[in-house]
């Protein structure tokens, strides 16, 4: 158990804040904890009727390159996570659906971020148009299961939530 | 492609820094990007000779509870990642080995953190004593494959790197 002695907002961002907490450890020593204070996010694994997995290819500033990911986004204030999942799927891929199933929730970086990611499976997809934000340039790409496992093996897919979601889906037969 | 206009260190931390970058988008608009500037980390999936997976149970301040994870830690300056993996395994679980195999590397939160996690499999483990840091209180627990998959299914394991590493290992037969 670690006790919060003080908590300071270092920076308020658009989607999350940076905090600096002073913490008392069980051994009575004090340490600083730098924290990403995040409202949580959703990620969606979209699977088409003909068994293809839909990925998006987008430039990620911190990686300095385009990477392949499943669609995802931050939960807006007061938004239900299922609605957020359907919204982000539509915005980023153009696909609509009412058929989403919760797969799991997880912490991405519990050493410094309280972001919880809720992961959904989306099926019965209907094709439509993307609705991208100003700072998004996203292309949509679809892959078969074997092809996508090869991309995980050879390092072409390097995003943790994407690898996790695909492997979770493919190792379960009861969804 | 997004161009860095300016980059400011908001806070220098023990393991990583917080940055605020101003960025020019392809559409010539400007946005701020809040970034966790991280040196990278390793995670190790330890598998005992009798086929048990070794997890650690530790309090994580941001989650406000103890969670089950594979051992992991930040790469120290100038440290080889393989040495870091062997060191963190020893410190957190007490197990020593010379038998580590790289499984994959991934970004945990590419929306805001440049942390790359390098994931290793560790086998031929030899039991010894933990060497914990001041702020670590860690107990070591070992689980069979079926038991661990149940824990992922029922939400008892909620750490992304742990889920990802276990599923990656269990879906491959060639390691």
């Amino acid at each position: 158990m670690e006790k919060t002695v003080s908590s300071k907002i270092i920076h308020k961002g658009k989607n999350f804040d940076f905090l600096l907490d002073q913490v008392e450890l069980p051994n009575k020593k004090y340490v600083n904890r730098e924290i990403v204070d995040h409202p949580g996010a959703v990620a969606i694994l979209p699977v088409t009727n003909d068994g293809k997995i839909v990925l998006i290819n987008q430039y990620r500033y911190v990686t300095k390159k385009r990477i392949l990911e499943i669609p995802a986004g931050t939960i807006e204030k007061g938004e239900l996570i299922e609605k957020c999942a359907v919204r982000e799927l539509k915005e980023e891929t153009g696909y609509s659906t009412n058929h989403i199933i919760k797969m799991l929730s997880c912490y991405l970086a519990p050493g410094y971020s309280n972001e919880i990611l809720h992961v959904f499976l989306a099926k019965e997809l209907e094709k439509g148009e993307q609705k991208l934000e100003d700072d998004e340039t996203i292309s949509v790409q679809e892959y078969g299961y074997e092809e996508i496992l090869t991309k995980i093996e050879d390092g072409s897919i390097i995003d943790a939530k994407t690898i996790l979601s695909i492997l979770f889906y493919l190792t379960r037969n009861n969804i």
Side-chain angles (χ1 to χ4, degrees), chain A:
Chain A
M1 189 62 191
E2 301 182 356
K3 277 187 243 169
T4 306
V5 178
S6 67
S7 183
K8 188 172 78 173
I9 299 176
I10 300 177
H11 176 80
K12 283 191 84 69
K14 186 183 159 207
N15 290 327
F16 56 84
D17 302 330
F18 288 145
L19 309 183
L20 180 62
D21 282 19
Q22 198 187 23
V23 171
E24 186 188 324
L25 302 178
N27 64 10
K28 305 295 177 197
K29 290 191 179 175
Y30 293 88
V31 291
N32 286 332
R33 297 262 186 238
E34 292 86 7
I35 298 160
V36 174
D37 187 25
H38 195 288
V42 300
I44 310 97
L45 180 73
V47 179
T48 64
N49 291 337
D50 58 345
K52 293 274 203 294
I53 288 175
V54 181
L55 297 184
I56 60 176
N57 183 312
Q58 69 178 324
Y59 186 83
R60 286 295 205 172
Y61 180 72
V62 301
T63 70
K64 305 289 178 211
K65 62 187 171 197
R66 297 182 74 86
I67 66 171
L68 280 172
E69 293 176 65
I70 56 172
T74 304
I75 301 166
E76 293 177 359
K77 207 174 172 179
E79 189 178 34
L80 289 174
I81 58 170
E82 292 79 6
K83 288 210 166 171
C84 180
V86 169
R87 176 178 61 73
E88 289 286 352
L89 175 67
K90 170 66 184 165
E91 287 175 2
E92 296 192 341
T93 69
Y95 278 113
S96 300
T97 188
N98 292 316
H99 192 86
I100 59 165
I101 301 159
K102 177 81 179 290
M103 294 206 293
L104 78 162
S105 297
C106 58
Y107 286 97
L108 293 168
Y112 59 85
S113 173
N114 61 12
E115 178 180 6
I116 298 184
L117 181 75
H118 306 283
V119 183
F120 291 89
L121 174 67
K123 288 195 158 183
E124 299 179 18
L125 308 178
E126 286 181 32
K127 191 100 185 177
E129 293 296 316
Q130 286 172 301
K131 292 179 184 173
L132 299 177
E133 291 180 46
D134 259 3
D135 62 345
E136 292 177 321
T137 320
I138 289 175
S139 68
V140 177
Q141 297 171 359
E142 303 184 1
Y143 299 98
Y145 297 158
E146 287 303 319
E147 197 178 6
I148 219 156
L149 287 174
T150 304
K151 282 187 180 300
I152 292 173
E153 289 268 338
D154 71 11
S156 306
I157 296 178
I158 52 168
D159 172 55
K161 68 176 173 304
T162 304
I163 299 170
L164 177 158
S165 305
I166 292 167
L167 294 179
F168 188 83
Y169 173 64
L170 293 180
T171 53
R172 296 176 83 200
N173 300 314
N174 58 340
I175 296 184

